[in-house]
Amino acid sequence: MTERPPFKSAGLLKKLMSRYYAKGKAAREKGIPIAWVTAVFPVEVLYAAGIFPYYPENFGTLAAARKVAAKLSANAEARGYYFDLCGYARCGLGDAYAADHPAGVIGRPDLLFCCNTQCGSLPKWFETAGRFYNAPFFLLDSPMIETTPTTLGKEYFIDQLKEMIDFLEIRTGQPFDSDRLAEVMALSGEACRLWNEILDMAALRPAPLGFFDACFHMAPILTWRGTKEAVAYYKNLKEELELRLVRKIYAVPNERYKIYWDHSPVWPRLRWFADYFAAKGALVAASQYTHSWAWSFDTTRPLESLAENYTEAFVNRGFEKRVQMKIAFMKKYGMDGFVFFSNRSCKNNSFGLYDKRKAISSKTGLPGVVIEGDMSDLRFFAEEQVKARLDVLFEQLGQRGK
Amino acid sequence: MPVNGDVGRILQLIEKTLEDPIGYIRRQKSERRVKIVGWLLTDVPEELIHAAGALPFGITGGSESFSQADAHLQSWACSLARSCLELGLQGKLSFLDGLIIPHTCDTTRNLGGIWKHARPLPLMESYLIPRQVDRPSAKSYLTGELGRLKAKLEQCTRTGITVKRLHDSIALYNRNRTLIRKLFRRHVDDPETLNNRAVYNIIKSSMIMPKEDHNNLLRELDAALGIYKKAGTTKGYIKIALSGKVWEPREIMNMLDGIKAVVVADDLATGHRYINGDVRESGDPIEALAHRQITRMPFACYGSAQFERRRFLTDMVRESGAAGLVFIHLKFCEPENFDYPDMKSACQSTGIPTIKIETEMGNMSLGQIETRLQAFLEVLRGGADNDGTASL
Ligand code: SF4
Ligand code: SF4
């Protein structure tokens, strides 16, 4: 298969990420508090309070992509942590106990902030880490939105944002800067807008990028969201993609099918999957996963706007709504079929997928399969079984005469 | 002390009820012509269901074999959730007028959607418990959430939950908890008469039987038990405490009885989590229910910095005089799996011997559990020999 020329932005990304770690180091030296935060967390508030955010989940993906998850996990398992915990948590806890650090050392927090919109594993992991590092833990609790968002849930979240601001003022000894919050939210919203415009290019036929590319380029939207750097990065990436369109450089040569993926990738096998799909002329075009950051803020009512964005994320919605959202995605990108990843690490994204597959196939007529595995731990990945499932999908696609 | 005839009869009746809770509740439904609202573990405010004129029915686990659940819920979900769903899928719960699922973890968070999709019931509601309890926002939110649930229940039974009705229900439930706690003390002092299986059966049956009947039965039992002399009855027994989600498989209690271990404290959802702490009987009853929830004993499904579970467990063991702690560890329960290592080391550093028994609902090898419990008891009986680490 013909190789695409590498993304120029890849070099930028590398630089940006080492700058992120350098910034963390400098913050530590200057005595700026370093806070653990979760991926779907109103980090805008922390920036406004002058705190440096660190993303342990990103450490998890790094460890997974470097194929050292099982090794790190073994340290946690030796302490009695069971292998059914989220792989990121096992890597994070494992690294804390480890003597050698094959994925670099996980950052030590002064404070821990968690929002449970994403899952119930993160609060447990952070609570445990808080005990390990002897650092205070603050939970932003976001009860699931069963059908439509309620005033009760929203007000609860706003109340907690206020509690968090009080907490930050006490911890930093500084009054909270609301102007700065509006500024950060604007930057964050701008990066999200660019990021989603980039992701939307996967709907073009043929497309210049797909989900696996997005997995690579999502690091700044996670770690730099709320800064000028993230905006600049995605402006640049967008230009590069536009240029690729002009030059007819596509993600997959001879793109025949577009496939929807749910949810996170199998990090240590990213390449294997990319090759498998490319060989079939299929582009894995999108996943809700990389769309996790699609905020659009109204800075004139900052707290309400933060509450709406961070609680109403797809991952916090009920069964029916999640089905509708997935279908909308499939329509928007013109998907021909879908793959649901039943990820042993991630219960909140995996439980319900069997029924969702059936419901979506019967509503849309699109073929779809569920594959079993783990996003980081290859002990739970049976290549032959996964391949057999995917083959079934492509047989069905073939029969549909496309 | 010989067990007197009435005591045996009542305990038998309870045991029989627990052998077929569904049969029992279905008979209640047809005899009383009452609506039945089921609930899953744990923390569902049954007082609200009762005040709406329905009969609450605790589903504490279900089918022993899994034939249908696997097609809807991954096999690496906890067996408690899977076994309850299996019951539903098999149609064994179709008599329910409603079902309330508390969100305690990601499994329960997703279970309702799956269940509703595969086998809907007339009323299916989540109970969205706040997962932080240390800050004021939790209580005002929870008061609102209870109000939401109240309205749903009122719609279901077409009965208004008045303050008076709710106060009455609360008083009834408080009496039940008080009666069970009294019987539990009796069990601790006199395990020959009221053994582990019997007293934990009492707690579990309270989740199934109408509280009015249960209270009468417990009063009768209390009277039949009569007075007793404290001294002498605990001779040869070793006191232990339990921690975990549920005491399943239930044979565990018989095993403990067999090796003369008397359970004196626990934090189980089908144990003291159910009977501890009453609801204030004056003032706004919804707020009173919220207050009980927020101040409940800590457990794995939400943390509290002010009421930390490690301290709670070590205090529980010390105050109850237990010689050791058994973690009854339900496989694949993620919240418990996160807590276990720190809870264990907290025990270790305070000199409390512990053992972890891994359990599942359904087909389990009981022999292995028994061997481990026996070995643990030997360590505890060894007294001075053990250094608190009982590495079993
Ligand atoms: S992978 Fe899933 S369980 Fe793990 S932190 Fe992310 S959302 Fe939570
Ligand atoms: S995982 Fe644990 S908390 Fe969740 S339903 Fe199962 S036993 Fe309950």
Side-chain angles (χ1 to χ4, degrees):
Chain A
M1 135 198 169
T2 47
E3 285 286 329
R4 292 182 289 170
F7 277 92
K8 282 209 200 77
S9 308
L12 264 173
L13 181 89
K14 233 178 134 185
K15 268 192 219 139
L16 197 56
M17 289 318 287
S18 31
R19 255 186 70 204
Y20 172 75
Y21 292 109
K23 246 185 112 178
K25 221 173 138 215
R28 172 102 55 216
E29 279 156 15
K30 279 189 253 163
I32 294 171
I34 294 177
W36 272 25
V37 275
T38 49
V40 181
F41 182 91
V43 69
E44 294 78 10
V45 179
L46 295 189
Y47 273 119
I51 282 180
F52 183 80
Y54 177 83
Y55 295 86
E57 285 159 88
N58 192 45
F59 176 84
T61 59
L62 222 72
R66 288 192 192 162
K67 302 183 177 53
V68 295
K71 199 170 167 216
L72 286 174
S73 176
N75 296 318
E77 286 168 50
R79 300 264 163 172
Y81 289 99
Y82 201 64
F83 62 76
D84 75 334
L85 302 180
C86 164
Y88 296 160
R90 279 184 283 122
C91 284
L93 292 169
D95 192 67
Y97 289 118
D100 59 332
H101 305 275
V105 186
I106 190 162
R108 177 171 54 79
D110 300 308
L111 304 163
L112 300 97
F113 292 91
C114 170
C115 176
N116 59 7
T117 287
Q118 264 167 282
C119 66
S121 307
L122 284 163
K124 290 309 289 181
W125 172 18
F126 277 41
E127 188 193 314
T128 308
R131 288 194 292 261
F132 180 86
Y133 295 107
N134 197 19
F137 163 60
F138 190 100
L139 175 68
L140 265 181
D141 182 26
S142 170
M144 188 176 94
I145 298 172
E146 191 105 60
T147 47
T148 44
T150 61
T151 320
L152 179 66
K154 191 170 135 187
E155 274 170 7
Y156 177 38
F157 203 81
I158 295 172
D159 280 351
Q160 293 179 82
L161 285 173
K162 289 180 186 157
E163 286 168 339
M164 186 166 102
I165 288 171
D166 288 346
F167 176 87
L168 286 166
E169 283 183 335
I170 292 167
R171 290 283 155 186
T172 59
Q174 300 287 327
F176 187 74
D177 185 345
S178 303
D179 295 339
R180 177 81 180 112
L181 177 63
E183 223 174 273
V184 177
M185 282 172 73
L187 286 169
S188 175
E190 177 66 1
C192 285
R193 188 182 59 79
L194 287 163
W195 175 235
N196 283 273
E197 283 172 11
I198 289 166
L199 294 175
D200 283 351
M201 289 166 114
L204 301 169
R205 268 181 197 265
L209 92 163
F211 170 60
F212 300 122
D213 298 310
C215 286
F216 179 76
H217 291 286
M218 70 176 215
I221 196 70
L222 175 70
T223 53
W224 283 96
R225 185 173 82 257
T227 67
K228 288 194 195 82
E229 282 85 348
V231 176
Y233 181 78
Y234 290 114
K235 262 194 190 137
N236 196 287
L237 178 60
K238 199 175 161 212
E239 277 162 21
E240 186 177 4
L241 286 164
E242 277 157 356
L243 204 67
R244 283 191 168 217
L245 279 176
V246 175
R247 296 199 181 137
K248 299 195 182 345
I249 303 171
Y250 302 114
V252 163
N254 313 314
E255 182 190 311
R256 290 175 65 204
Y257 306 114
K258 280 195 199 291
I259 304 293
Y260 173 80
W261 178 280
D262 202 282
H263 164 257
S264 56
V266 184
W267 291 108
R269 301 309 294 269
L270 213 52
R271 185 79 225 185
W272 182 84
F273 277 101
D275 288 348
Y276 176 92
F277 286 105
K280 302 275 184 195
L283 175 72
V284 178
S287 159
Q288 274 182 318
Y289 176 67
T290 40
H291 283 75
S292 294
W293 305 275
W295 319 138
S296 118
F297 294 121
D298 175 356
T299 51
T300 61
R301 34 178 210 105
L303 296 191
E304 286 96 296
S305 184
L306 285 169
E308 287 154 8
N309 277 283
Y310 282 98
T311 61
E312 294 169 20
F314 67 87
V315 64
N316 199 31
R317 309 307 287 265
F319 186 99
E320 287 305 330
K321 180 74 183 175
R322 284 218 231 177
V323 166
Q324 284 164 18
M325 285 169 123
K326 288 186 206 305
I327 291 177
F329 254 92
M330 292 178 197
K331 286 215 173 106
K332 179 173 175 189
Y333 288 87
M335 304 291 184
D336 300 294
F338 60 92
V339 175
F340 283 173
F341 172 26
S342 164
N343 178 358
R344 214 184 154 103
S345 267
C346 190
K347 295 179 165 67
N348 192 33
N349 278 296
S350 302
F351 290 167
L353 282 183
Y354 298 168
D355 286 288
K356 284 173 193 156
R357 181 192 71 80
K358 279 201 207 122
I360 293 174
S361 280
S362 78
K363 276 190 183 128
T364 62
L366 294 178
V369 290
V370 179
I371 58 164
E372 304 288 336
D374 186 273
M375 67 193 177
S376 64
D377 200 327
L378 288 176
R379 283 177 295 180
F380 305 115
F381 186 80
E383 186 178 307
E384 283 310 309
Q385 266 170 37
V386 171
K387 193 174 164 295
R389 278 284 166 87
L390 295 176
D391 288 347
V392 168
L393 175 69
F394 283 99
E395 267 163 40
Q396 287 171 349
L397 283 168
Q399 281 160 13
R400 297 170 101 233
K402 264 207 77 164
Chain B
M1 189 196 270
V3 171
N4 103 21
D6 277 343
V7 172
R9 180 182 54 79
I10 296 167
L11 296 180
Q12 259 301 306
L13 194 129
I14 288 174
E15 177 77 46
K16 267 194 75 185
T17 308
L18 290 173
E19 264 160 32
D20 180 20
I22 291 179
Y24 174 86
I25 203 78
R26 293 184 67 152
R27 280 194 300 280
Q28 293 289 327
K29 180 167 173 142
S30 63
E31 280 164 22
R32 297 183 186 222
R33 307 192 168 277
V34 67
K35 294 213 170 182
I36 313 281
V37 174
W39 53 270
L40 301 190
L41 290 167
T42 174
D43 292 14
V44 172
E46 283 172 75
E47 289 90 338
L48 276 181
I49 304 174
H50 183 269
L55 194 55
F57 173 55
I59 305 164
T60 58
S63 185
E64 304 269 299
S65 61
F66 300 97
S67 63
Q68 302 193 32
D70 286 355
H72 300 270
L73 185 59
Q74 281 85 339
S75 57
W76 34 273
C78 76
S79 52
L80 180 60
R82 286 171 64 229
S83 73
C84 292
L85 179 64
E86 178 73 33
L87 277 184
L89 294 170
Q90 287 179 6
K92 292 191 177 146
L93 297 173
S94 324
F95 66 92
L96 288 179
D97 299 286
L99 179 67
I100 299 178
I101 301 180
H103 284 203
T104 53
C105 62
D106 284 344
T107 307
T108 42
R109 182 177 179 175
N110 286 284
L111 189 63
I114 298 171
W115 199 319
K116 207 182 221 170
H117 184 75
R119 195 113 197 176
L121 290 163
L123 172 84
M124 292 194 86
E125 282 300 320
S126 299
Y127 174 36
L128 302 164
I129 311 177
R131 250 64 88 66
Q132 57 90 14
V133 291
D134 292 336
R135 304 190 305 263
S137 56
K139 189 153 173 200
S140 47
Y141 161 74
L142 180 54
T143 308
E145 170 63 7
L146 289 167
R148 185 189 69 83
L149 221 49
K150 169 176 170 283
K152 294 284 180 188
L153 286 163
E154 287 174 329
Q155 272 168 26
C156 168
T157 60
R158 293 168 205 262
T159 306
I161 302 178
T162 59
V163 170
K164 162 94 178 58
R165 285 184 73 102
L166 190 49
H167 270 146
D168 288 349
S169 300
I170 286 171
L172 178 74
Y173 274 71
N174 282 347
R175 271 201 295 284
N176 186 251
R177 287 182 278 253
T178 310
L179 280 164
I180 300 180
R181 289 196 299 263
K182 183 177 178 205
L183 288 164
F184 197 89
R185 282 193 299 276
R186 169 82 188 234
H187 148 80
V188 170
D189 293 338
D190 185 12
E192 291 276 302
T193 313
L194 215 50
N195 62 21
N196 299 310
R197 178 67 183 256
V199 83
Y200 281 92
N201 270 352
I202 289 173
I203 300 177
K204 214 199 247 177
S205 62
S206 169
M207 301 175 160
I208 291 156
M209 297 170 78
K211 283 286 185 286
E212 298 82 351
D213 294 4
H214 203 249
N215 282 349
N216 287 337
L217 199 64
L218 296 189
R219 279 195 204 98
E220 216 186 305
L221 177 63
D222 189 44
L225 283 165
I227 40 165
Y228 65 106
K229 281 208 204 71
K230 214 169 160 179
T233 48
T234 54
K235 219 173 142 238
Y237 280 87
I238 290 261
K239 292 181 173 182
I240 61 157
L242 304 178
S243 174
K245 202 69 209 267
V246 287
W247 50 280
E248 299 282 350
R250 52 195 175 160
E251 286 84 357
I252 285 181
M253 288 298 176
N254 303 69
M255 292 173 190
L256 292 171
D257 283 326
I259 54 178
K260 290 199 142 191
V262 52
V263 182
V264 294
D266 72 81
D267 70 348
L268 304 169
T270 46
H272 276 80
R273 190 166 184 84
Y274 190 69
I275 60 172
N276 262 23
D278 288 330
V279 183
R280 217 177 36 225
E281 290 185 26
S282 57
D284 181 339
I286 296 277
E287 253 180 52
L289 286 172
H291 182 75
R292 178 182 185 231
Q293 178 62 27
I294 302 271
T295 52
R296 258 179 137 126
M297 60 164 81
F299 77 140
C301 302
Y302 58 72
S304 161
Q306 280 154 34
F307 197 11
E308 227 234 287
R309 193 174 179 209
R310 285 180 304 176
R311 206 178 63 225
F312 171 79
L313 279 186
T314 49
D315 285 356
M316 177 182 95
V317 171
R318 204 178 17 215
E319 282 159 20
S320 66
L325 177 71
V326 179
F327 289 102
I328 301 187
H329 203 84
L330 190 71
K331 202 173 171 186
F332 298 122
C333 172
E334 192 179 51
E336 284 289 353
N337 278 327
F338 266 110
D339 272 8
Y340 168 69
D342 281 354
M343 303 307 128
K344 178 186 160 206
S345 56
C347 287
Q348 247 168 21
S349 57
T350 43
I352 298 166
T354 67
I355 186 178
K356 180 170 100 167
I357 306 282
E358 194 170 84
T359 61
E360 273 193 283
M361 318 270 305
N363 42 8
M364 272 228 70
S365 140
L366 297 173
Q368 228 183 12
I369 298 180
E370 189 156 30
T371 314
R372 286 171 60 76
L373 285 173
Q374 271 165 352
F376 186 58
L377 256 280
E378 265 158 44
V379 171
L380 297 185
R381 284 188 206 280
D385 290 349
N386 91 71
D387 60 356
T389 52
S391 58
L392 291 162

